[in-house]
Amino acid sequence: MAKPDETACIAGTLRTEESPVPDATITVTSPSGEEQEVQTSETGKWSVEVNEPGEYTVVLDKESLPDDVVIGQGEITVDVARLGVTQAATLDVRTGSYSAETSKVDELIQSTVNGLRLGLLLALASVGLSLIYGTTGLSNFAHAEQVTLGGILGYFLINQHGLGLWIGGLLVVILCAFTGWFQDRILWQPLRRRGLGLTQMMIVTIGLSLALQYVYQYTVGARTVRVLQDNPSVREIGPVTITNQSIVAMLISVVVLAAVGYALLRTRVGRATRAVSDNPALAAASGIDTDRVIRLVWTTAMGLAGLSGLLYALVTNGIKWDSGLQILLLLFAAVTLGGLGTAFGALVGALIIGLVVELSPVLGMPGDFKYATALLILILLLLVRPQGLLGKPQRVG
């Protein structure tokens, strides 16, 4: 039996816009000319095992398709860069009555669902970022690297070491939470006690962000990694097409965010956290251990960011060494839009940013400008309401 790192897998799901296509014949040709033939299952899934890197040609046999199914793209090239991974291959088939034109309403509904998914993933990270700012006043530019860390740890623990998705995911959150505790214990608390200003500490976070990016690049290279299990099953709900993994990820995000909100509002630790956020000096004078609260906030925030990165790598196109840098502005935009230092504001801001990013191409903005559109919305809102949606006005002077 071949070892996992001695083989790779090319896999896909053959389906039209309506249903899977079973019993279709697919031929995979290796770089050396060796052919493998496979048939799709009842759910349209197929996979072949290969043992050499290089470019593979995947061809769908037209004669094996049902009469009402036509080929959109029946031959593709798949580049297997290295062994030990699963490479997705997408063949395009459709029914004979299929029309490529999608109604604007259907596009809006689909993009809205995608925006909610992105917003919930951003919310997991931005809530922690807002809590850190609220309790310490620090803008943590390394926070997005914790999102990257969650995705990369998920890739190594689940894909490379074969841990189950739930066990591996729980371990990812625990490890990321521990990095938050460790950071505050050896770095941020000593710097606070030395009286280091927020500007200097912010510069430290920028340096930490750059250092982590180089560590990630050294570890996984420039490639994109995903937390892959099997080919995701696709569910169609009216005009919305969504994978089961995305549905589970959204449900997990809602449950976790609800738990955080309940903890902040109904528990003693949550009330202490809000007291430290409102007035650290008064909270300390009333007997609250501010260092302990801040360390708990760092631990929780890093765990939430790790969970966000794990789900992001699971349901989107994957995560790279610089993915954190790409979403950093979106996180700060969500926190600022909702109101600096307010956890619930960060949640609302993240949902708005996610919706704007996904809806802007449908509403006529070029796809490359969708992130700029979100930041433009932020600027316009701050001109009208400088404190953000749920923030409190600040006296100046």
Side-chain angles (χ1 to χ4, degrees):
M1 182 176 178
K3 297 180 180 178
D5 58 353
E6 293 178 351
T7 63
C9 184
I10 301 176
T13 301
L14 190 67
R15 60 177 295 117
T16 66
E17 74 281 3
E18 296 179 351
S19 61
V21 181
D23 301 324
T25 302
I26 296 172
T27 303
V28 179
T29 306
S30 71
S32 59
E34 181 181 353
E35 293 186 352
Q36 295 187 64
E37 193 173 276
V38 64
Q39 285 191 322
T40 58
S41 68
E42 290 296 321
T43 58
K45 295 183 178 181
W46 62 273
S47 64
V48 296
E49 190 176 86
V50 298
N51 54 17
E52 61 176 314
E55 292 188 348
Y56 287 77
T57 302
V58 180
V59 179
L60 173 61
D61 183 6
K62 179 180 179 181
E63 301 299 325
S64 65
L65 296 175
D67 294 338
D68 61 338
V69 175
V70 297
I71 295 177
Q73 184 179 17
E75 179 175 339
I76 60 172
T77 300
V78 177
D79 184 15
V80 178
R82 67 184 189 88
L83 302 179
V85 300
T86 298
Q87 185 68 47
T90 303
L91 295 163
D92 180 23
V93 294
R94 60 195 62 174
T95 59
S97 60
Y98 173 78
S99 172
E101 295 183 0
T102 305
S103 73
K104 204 68 173 178
V105 174
D106 289 350
E107 289 184 13
L108 284 171
I109 295 174
Q110 178 69 62
S111 296
T112 299
V113 173
N114 293 341
L116 289 174
R117 183 186 66 179
L118 176 61
L120 288 170
L121 296 182
L122 291 176
L124 287 173
S126 60
V127 164
L129 179 62
S130 185
L131 287 173
I132 291 174
Y133 180 86
T135 53
T136 66
L138 176 64
S139 298
N140 181 19
F141 280 83
H143 192 78
E145 309 315 323
Q146 293 292 138
V147 178
T148 308
L149 178 63
I152 291 177
L153 281 177
Y155 167 74
F156 279 112
L157 293 177
I158 298 171
N159 282 39
Q160 298 297 307
H161 291 86
L163 294 180
L165 183 59
W166 293 103
I167 296 176
L170 180 61
L171 189 56
V172 167
V173 175
I174 292 173
L175 289 174
C176 288
F178 173 76
T179 64
W181 179 92
F182 186 73
Q183 279 186 50
D184 187 67
R185 182 68 180 84
I186 69 166
L187 182 60
W188 305 119
Q189 185 187 54
L191 291 179
R192 288 196 303 270
R193 289 182 174 177
R194 289 179 176 272
L196 201 67
L198 290 176
T199 302
Q200 293 97 319
M201 293 177 69
M202 183 180 67
I203 293 173
V204 173
T205 69
I206 295 173
L208 180 60
S209 173
L210 293 174
L212 289 174
Q213 288 177 33
Y214 288 125
V215 170
Y216 300 152
Q217 188 177 25
Y218 177 80
T219 304
V220 300
R223 60 197 174 94
T224 300
V225 297
R226 282 191 64 194
V227 181
L228 290 171
Q229 292 293 295
D230 298 322
N231 293 322
S233 300
V234 178
R235 185 183 299 270
E236 294 185 1
I237 307 172
V240 176
T241 301
I242 189 170
T243 64
N244 289 335
Q245 289 180 347
S246 293
I247 295 174
V248 172
M250 293 171 72
L251 290 176
I252 290 174
S253 300
V254 170
V255 170
V256 171
L257 290 169
V260 172
Y262 177 84
L264 287 173
L265 294 175
R266 299 295 183 182
T267 67
R268 179 179 297 179
V269 173
R271 289 191 290 269
T273 301
R274 288 187 289 124
V276 173
S277 180
D278 289 339
N279 193 323
L282 182 60
S286 63
I288 295 175
D289 188 343
T290 56
D291 279 336
R292 183 181 179 184
V293 170
I294 290 173
R295 185 162 301 154
L296 178 61
V297 166
W298 273 96
T299 303
T300 304
M302 296 302 109
L304 291 174
L307 176 61
S308 174
L310 173 67
L311 297 178
Y312 189 88
L314 179 66
V315 304
T316 66
N317 292 326
I319 204 161
K320 297 171 58 179
W321 66 274
D322 61 345
S323 292
L325 180 64
Q326 296 174 11
I327 68 171
L328 178 63
L329 286 179
L330 295 182
L331 294 180
F332 274 112
V335 171
T336 308
L337 183 65
L340 289 172
T342 61
F344 296 104
L347 169 61
V348 174
L351 292 175
I352 292 174
I353 293 296
L355 288 170
V356 169
V357 166
E358 293 294 340
L359 286 172
S360 56
V362 181
L363 299 177
M365 290 295 296
D368 293 340
F369 286 90
K370 60 182 181 180
Y371 295 132
T373 305
L375 298 177
L376 178 61
I377 296 294
L378 169 65
I379 293 171
L380 294 176
L381 177 74
L382 292 181
L383 287 174
V384 179
R385 189 176 173 83
Q387 71 270 28
L389 291 173
L390 301 184
K392 296 179 181 178
Q394 301 290 329
R395 287 189 60 185
V396 180

